[in-house]
């Protein structure tokens, strides 16, 4: 009887492992961004994997585009609890979650699990999380040259005229001739779950605006908007994209006709410096 009971219990655990082992896994390429969206919390985590081809340190960055999530980094096995090699808990005061792993043996498989925390209604759909995942074994050569850094920490100057019906934004370009600048706008109050501090976040909730950007010399640029609604806030963000690998960064989030002031800059985060260069995300060194 004990033998039968033991076999029954083992079969249950075996089935649980089998189900987990069949979970879809997206294979990452070195230094190439991969984007993902999770619609519901019940969908569970999105799993990503990367196999080391040589013994090198590895940097992992998961950037929010929408919603909230935790991340779990594990080695050779998928682990989605706090016993993972690295557990990154959602923190609204940082621009990305990630970790730096010291050199690991060749053929080590790194698993990254992105676990959604909450569901949001947006554009008549349900979303739990949207994000980008980037893993690199050579950040200095494969990421840094291709990631545009907004000049002057991403600062944007704004000015309202004509009683709030017109407005101008001014900012400084990066100085790299291959960079492309695009303005995104959003009217009204941003819905819960939106994330204006990453390029993918801006693209998720805002709309591309074709307003012409004028070059004013010495890398300074500006754009003027007319016909603004004085009773409704107009949010604007400049996104800069480097054509080589299509890496993008966002300047500060600017607001025309904000409810409590004639104009304002909205940024409760640190000045925009991508997480690849400073550890504003939670960092863990694998010993």
């Amino acid at each position: 009887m004990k033998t039968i009971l033991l076999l029954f219990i083992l079969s249950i655990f075996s089935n649980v492992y089998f189900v987990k082992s069949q979970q879809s896994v997206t294979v990452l390429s070195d230094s190439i961004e991969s984007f993902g969206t999770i619609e519901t919390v019940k969908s569970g985590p999105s799993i990503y994997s990367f196999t080391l081809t040589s013994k090198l340190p590895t940097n992992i960055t998961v950037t929010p585009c929408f919603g909230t999530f935790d991340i779990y980094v594990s080695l050779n096995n998928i682990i989605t609890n706090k016993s993972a090699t690295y557990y990154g808990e959602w923190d609204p005061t940082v621009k990305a979650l990630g970790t730096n792993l010291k050199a690991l043996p060749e053929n080590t498989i790194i698993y990254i699990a992105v676990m959604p925390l909450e569901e949001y209604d947006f554009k008549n759909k349900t979303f739990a999380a949207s994000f980008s995942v980037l893993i690199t074994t050579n950040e200095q050569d494969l990421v840094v040259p291709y990631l545009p850094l907004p000049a002057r920490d991403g600062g944007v100057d704004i000015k309202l005229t004509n009683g709030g019906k017109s407005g101008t934004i001014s900012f400084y370009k990066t100085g790299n001739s291959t960079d492309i600048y695009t303005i995104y706008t959003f009217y009204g109050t941003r819905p819960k779950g939106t994330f204006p501090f990453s390029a993918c976040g801006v693209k998720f909730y805002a709309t591309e605006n074709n307003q012409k950007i004028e070059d004013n010399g010495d890398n300074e640029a500006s754009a003027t908007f007319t016909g603004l609604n004085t009773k409704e806030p107009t949010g604007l963000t400049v996104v800069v994209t480097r054509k080589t690998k299509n890496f993008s960064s966002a300047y500060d989030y600017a607001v025309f006709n904000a409810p409590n002031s004639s104009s304002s800059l909205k940024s409760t985060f640190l000045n925009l410096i991508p997480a690849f260069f400073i550890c504003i995300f939670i960092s863990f060194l694998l010993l």
Side-chain angles (χ1 to χ4, degrees):
M1 181 66 181
K2 290 183 178 179
T3 302
I4 296 175
L5 180 60
L6 179 60
L7 289 173
F8 176 72
I9 293 173
L10 288 174
S11 69
I12 293 176
F13 281 103
S14 176
N15 286 335
V16 170
Y17 176 78
F18 176 79
V19 171
K20 289 185 177 179
S21 68
Q22 297 303 307
Q23 192 165 15
S24 176
V25 177
T26 300
V27 178
L28 297 172
S29 298
D30 198 348
S31 304
I32 301 295
E33 265 189 305
S34 180
F35 294 89
T37 297
I38 304 174
E39 293 185 355
T40 66
V41 173
K42 289 183 179 180
S43 301
S46 287
I47 309 294
Y48 297 82
S49 72
F50 180 79
T51 302
L52 291 172
T53 57
S54 58
K55 191 175 182 179
L56 291 170
T58 306
N59 299 328
I60 299 167
T61 304
V62 183
T63 302
C65 304
F66 184 87
T68 55
F69 54 81
D70 292 340
I71 69 169
Y72 302 87
V73 177
S74 53
L75 307 178
N76 296 320
N77 290 294
I78 300 172
I79 300 176
T80 55
N81 56 51
K82 294 182 181 181
S83 66
T85 302
Y86 170 78
Y87 165 58
E89 185 175 11
W90 174 257
D91 184 345
T93 66
V94 300
K95 291 188 175 70
L97 295 177
T99 185
N100 304 320
L101 301 178
K102 286 186 176 180
L104 296 168
E106 186 177 341
N107 294 321
T108 296
I109 302 176
I110 300 172
Y111 288 102
I112 305 164
V114 182
M115 182 74 74
L117 301 178
E118 188 178 348
E119 293 175 9
Y120 306 86
D121 293 324
F122 183 65
K123 293 183 178 180
N124 298 318
K125 293 183 180 181
T126 299
F127 295 99
S130 181
F131 48 87
S132 74
V133 182
L134 178 69
I135 189 167
T136 176
T137 59
N138 187 351
E139 178 180 283
Q140 191 61 37
D141 293 335
L142 299 180
V143 175
V144 173
Y146 308 105
L147 181 68
L149 271 176
R152 304 196 179 189
D153 295 333
V156 177
D157 293 325
I158 58 179
K159 181 181 179 181
L160 281 174
T161 56
N162 193 22
K165 295 180 181 180
S166 301
T168 299
I169 62 169
S170 301
F171 63 95
Y172 283 86
K173 293 186 173 183
T174 63
N176 189 311
S177 60
T178 66
D179 290 345
I180 300 173
Y181 300 84
T182 307
I183 297 175
Y184 288 81
T185 53
F186 184 85
Y187 302 98
T189 302
R190 287 185 295 105
K192 186 178 179 182
T194 55
F195 194 81
F197 307 103
S198 66
C200 66
V202 172
K203 294 175 183 179
F204 190 90
Y205 76 88
T207 302
E208 183 175 339
N209 191 294
N210 293 323
Q211 184 64 37
K212 184 179 179 181
I213 298 175
E214 302 285 350
D215 287 318
N216 301 327
D218 295 328
N219 282 333
E220 186 179 10
S222 63
T224 299
F225 298 81
T226 59
L228 298 174
N229 186 342
T230 60
K231 297 181 180 179
E232 180 182 56
T234 300
L236 305 96
T237 306
V238 178
V239 171
V240 54
T241 302
R242 189 153 295 171
K243 291 188 291 185
T244 316
K245 281 192 175 182
N246 285 323
F247 283 154
S248 298
S249 298
Y251 282 72
D252 283 345
Y253 178 60
V255 182
F256 288 137
N257 296 316
N260 298 322
S261 63
S262 59
S263 62
S264 66
L265 286 176
K266 299 294 185 180
S267 181
T268 57
F269 287 55
L270 300 175
N271 286 334
L272 182 71
I273 302 177
F276 309 116
F277 301 105
I278 61 174
C279 292
I280 56 174
F281 55 82
I282 304 171
S283 184
F284 175 87
L285 295 179
L286 181 64
L287 300 178

